[in-house]
Amino acid sequence: MFLGAIGFFLCYTLFSLILEEQVKTEPRILYNNPHGRHSDDDESDQLNGQMNFNADAGQHKDEDKNIAEELYQKVKILCWVMTGPQNLEKKARHVKATWAQRCNKMLFMSSEENKDFPTVGLETKEGRDQLYWKTIKAFQYVHDHHLGEADWFMKADDDTYVALDNLRWLLSKYSPEEAIYFGRRFKPYVKQGYMSGGAGYVLSKEALRRFVNAFKSNKCSHSSSIEDLALGKCMEAIGVKAGDSRDTSGKETFHPFVPEHHLIKGYLPKTFWYWNYNYYPPIEGPGCCSDLAVSFHYVDAATMYQLEYLIYHLRPYGYQFRYNPDFPKNLKTQNLSDTAKDDAEPKVKGPLKASK
């Protein structure tokens, strides 16, 4: 018995030490530079093969998707993803297998053409110093070949996850003929702010027209390698408004990191650049993120499929959707009527019972 107690103590001590070391491990994305390298430039998190999470649609055949399907027809989004030859198998293929399927039109932009994947060849070099030049050429290509196929034009990285249905809800409040663009709004260097490149950003049709024409008229130039900041300066110069992408409760919808880095308090140190860059006061913890989140960045292949499952497949039994983003911000009248209704009806606690 004495030996058993010693053995238990030694095992407990060893386990505690291992756990402590794991807790001390720094998250790999914390490069204290908003325009620095990607965290997953290494190949340690490669996922072999791709999965079709939407092949088994039987469990969702009775879902009421009328609103989403209606918005798919009314709010047409062309998505293009910034990628490269070296990332087609380890990153882009997983975008293609998940959220890209919900775009009205999908394009993958690379430095060279790949007819099998396929990718559009922009005939540029690769490297972070080429990102803005690739972005300019990509939007020019979209303008020249696909302008009439969509109302909105979304740029994302090959490690960004986008919930297209939530994006359509956001964009449905605006006209594509308005000169406006949306994303995660940062504040330094540009008076009206600019949109984070990693979280993705979406241009209206009029914004796209102005952006492409700005390089023909020399109102904008390829004078910087910092893609998102340079594009933001150009947008301000040509009168394209930086839109407010927060939901009706004031929560952010575009996110420059994976969910855990926003949701877990203390994950991002207060000395990190992020806290000084947000246009609107950032919130740490569960209040950080809208229930109708649009995007997350630094998403590796495995997390891409996790998000696909959590957003489009996991369901709590017996609950109806609770957050109605289309309620007016001033709910005094609504709350009064709800109170009167509640007084007249019996109180029911817990989740709604499923109908028989």
Side-chain angles (χ1 to χ4, degrees):
M1 185 173 179
F2 177 72
L3 292 176
I6 293 176
F8 173 80
F9 176 77
L10 290 174
C11 289
Y12 175 81
T13 303
L14 180 61
F15 178 77
S16 298
L17 290 172
I18 293 173
L19 184 61
E20 184 178 355
E21 287 302 314
Q22 289 179 338
V23 170
K24 288 180 180 178
T25 301
E26 290 287 333
R28 289 187 299 121
I29 72 159
L30 298 182
Y31 299 102
N32 203 5
N33 180 354
H35 310 294
R37 52 171 278 197
H38 285 258
S39 66
D40 50 355
D41 284 343
D42 61 83
E43 300 183 7
S44 59
D45 291 328
Q46 283 196 60
L47 187 67
N48 294 325
Q50 66 185 50
M51 295 172 278
N52 184 0
F53 269 39
N54 299 306
D56 179 19
Q59 294 185 47
H60 303 292
K61 61 181 173 58
D62 295 325
E63 279 189 333
D64 184 354
K65 297 185 287 187
N66 289 336
I67 295 176
E69 291 171 352
E70 182 180 339
L71 286 177
Y72 180 87
Q73 297 299 328
K74 288 185 176 181
V75 184
K76 294 184 177 180
I77 302 174
L78 181 149
C79 310
W80 70 264
V81 166
M82 178 93 73
T83 190
Q86 74 282 5
N87 285 341
L88 295 185
E89 289 303 310
K90 67 179 182 180
K91 292 184 181 180
R93 69 183 300 185
H94 306 298
V95 170
K96 190 177 181 181
T98 55
W99 64 265
Q101 299 179 20
R102 299 180 186 91
C103 301
N104 296 87
K105 178 72 177 180
M106 184 69 218
L107 297 171
F108 289 87
M109 301 291 188
S110 179
S111 56
E112 59 188 50
E113 183 182 21
N114 183 314
K115 293 182 179 180
D116 295 326
F117 190 80
T119 64
V120 174
L122 299 174
E123 299 181 353
T124 63
K125 297 178 182 179
E126 288 294 336
R128 292 197 62 80
D129 61 339
Q130 297 292 312
L131 290 183
Y132 190 40
W133 182 229
K134 286 178 72 175
T135 300
I136 294 168
K137 296 200 70 172
F139 274 127
Q140 287 176 340
Y141 179 89
V142 168
H143 176 273
D144 294 344
H145 295 88
H146 301 285
L147 184 64
E149 297 177 45
D151 305 308
W152 300 87
F153 302 85
M154 173 85 187
K155 175 267 173 186
D157 288 345
D158 52 16
D159 60 350
T160 304
Y161 185 96
V162 182
L164 266 297
D165 298 298
N166 294 344
L167 178 59
R168 287 192 179 94
W169 165 76
L170 170 68
L171 298 178
S172 67
K173 316 298 180 184
Y174 300 88
S175 168
E177 297 304 321
E178 181 181 356
I180 193 168
Y181 79 127
F182 295 95
R184 179 55 172 258
R185 198 170 176 185
F186 287 165
K187 66 182 178 182
Y189 311 116
V190 183
K191 186 177 180 180
Q192 69 168 2
Y194 68 96
M195 305 306 169
S196 161
Y201 45 80
V202 57
L203 279 61
S204 69
K205 182 174 288 190
E206 176 59 21
L208 175 60
R209 290 193 193 104
R210 292 192 187 190
F211 181 70
V212 171
N213 290 332
F215 291 90
K216 297 177 181 178
S217 63
N218 293 322
K219 290 183 179 179
C220 295
S221 63
H222 178 218
S223 57
S224 173
S225 61
I226 303 176
E227 165 224 343
D228 50 7
L229 177 57
L231 185 137
K233 288 182 176 179
C234 177
M235 289 296 179
E236 185 171 79
I238 59 179
V240 174
K241 180 181 177 182
D244 183 351
S245 62
R246 295 175 300 169
D247 69 16
T248 53
S249 65
K251 293 181 180 179
E252 298 279 6
T253 57
F254 288 76
H255 304 286
F257 305 117
V258 290
E260 64 193 86
H261 297 125
H262 295 283
L263 291 167
I264 308 303
K265 288 187 176 182
Y267 215 113
L268 299 176
K270 292 302 182 182
T271 55
F272 197 46
W273 62 264
Y274 169 78
W275 301 110
N276 295 320
Y277 266 66
N278 286 275
Y279 191 88
Y280 306 106
I283 297 175
E284 187 179 24
C288 68
C289 310
S290 171
D291 284 3
L292 294 177
V294 169
S295 70
F296 294 97
H297 187 217
Y298 292 118
V299 178
D300 61 24
T303 308
M304 197 75 69
Y305 293 106
Q306 290 174 17
L307 287 172
E308 183 77 2
Y309 168 72
L310 292 171
I311 294 172
Y312 284 100
H313 293 268
L314 181 63
R315 298 289 188 273
Y317 178 76
Y319 282 82
Q320 293 180 350
F321 192 55
R322 295 176 296 282
Y323 169 52
N324 186 342
D326 294 320
F327 273 5
K329 289 185 177 180
N330 186 347
L331 295 177
K332 289 183 179 179
T333 304
Q334 180 70 40
N335 289 338
L336 287 173
S337 62
D338 285 348
T339 301
K341 185 178 180 181
D342 289 342
D343 291 340
E345 294 179 354
K347 299 292 187 294
V348 179
K349 296 182 179 179
L352 296 173
K353 292 183 179 180
S355 59
K356 295 182 179 180

